[in-house]
Amino acid sequence: EVQFVESGGGLVQAGGSLRLSCTASGVTFGDYAMGWFRQAPGKEREGVSCISASDGSTTYSDPAKGRFTVSSDGAKNTMYLQIDNLKPEDTAVYYCAANLLRRRCNDRYILHEYAYWGQGTQVTVSS
């Protein structure tokens, strides 16, 4: 059974940092491009970042550029999302998922290309 588990969220003040983790079981990170998404209350789920399985290249959505850093540890089958200088608008549930169609990321975060969604981890940023 494939399972992704996100962790590392919490309540932080604006300007703080968090490192989110996504640990996979039943699937190998090297098989798929992996994405981070987030969903704020009342809003659609949006792509945040992606890391390629083919060459480790990364992409970021415009709101994530400059403050978010995605990385992965193949030995631990875990992907990370470092978020610095957190802003109240970063408040959302953050999810990870595998892109079953691609091993290399592009700058489009098409939800139906992704599967094995985890339960998410809540990030709340206070002003």
Side-chain angles (χ1 to χ4, degrees):
E1 178 186 5
V2 177
Q3 187 176 22
F4 286 1
V5 178
E6 302 94 338
S7 61
L11 173 63
V12 297
Q13 289 188 333
S17 297
L18 283 174
R19 190 176 81 154
L20 309 183
S21 298
C22 168
T23 301
S25 58
V27 66
T28 301
F29 267 24
D31 291 338
Y32 307 107
M34 294 292 300
W36 281 102
F37 292 75
R38 67 184 183 185
Q39 188 165 17
K43 295 188 177 181
E44 294 185 350
R45 192 169 298 190
E46 64 174 357
V48 172
S49 182
C50 179
I51 186 165
S52 300
S54 56
D55 59 4
S57 60
T58 58
T59 64
Y60 299 93
S61 64
D62 285 342
K65 289 177 181 175
R67 298 188 297 117
F68 289 43
T69 305
V70 63
S71 61
S72 65
D73 184 337
K76 296 182 178 179
N77 230 26
T78 298
M79 176 174 66
Y80 304 97
L81 185 68
Q82 176 73 33
I83 312 175
D84 297 316
N85 190 22
L86 278 155
K87 302 178 180 180
E89 52 263 42
D90 294 322
T91 295
V93 179
Y94 285 71
Y95 301 89
C96 61
N99 190 316
L100 300 188
L101 301 183
R102 304 178 188 279
R103 296 189 72 243
R104 192 171 194 278
C105 302
N106 56 23
D107 58 0
R108 302 173 66 194
Y109 300 89
I110 301 173
L111 290 178
H112 68 249
E113 292 186 353
Y114 288 82
Y116 308 137
W117 297 90
Q119 84 291 344
T121 187
Q122 176 71 49
V123 172
T124 303
V125 185
S126 62
S127 57

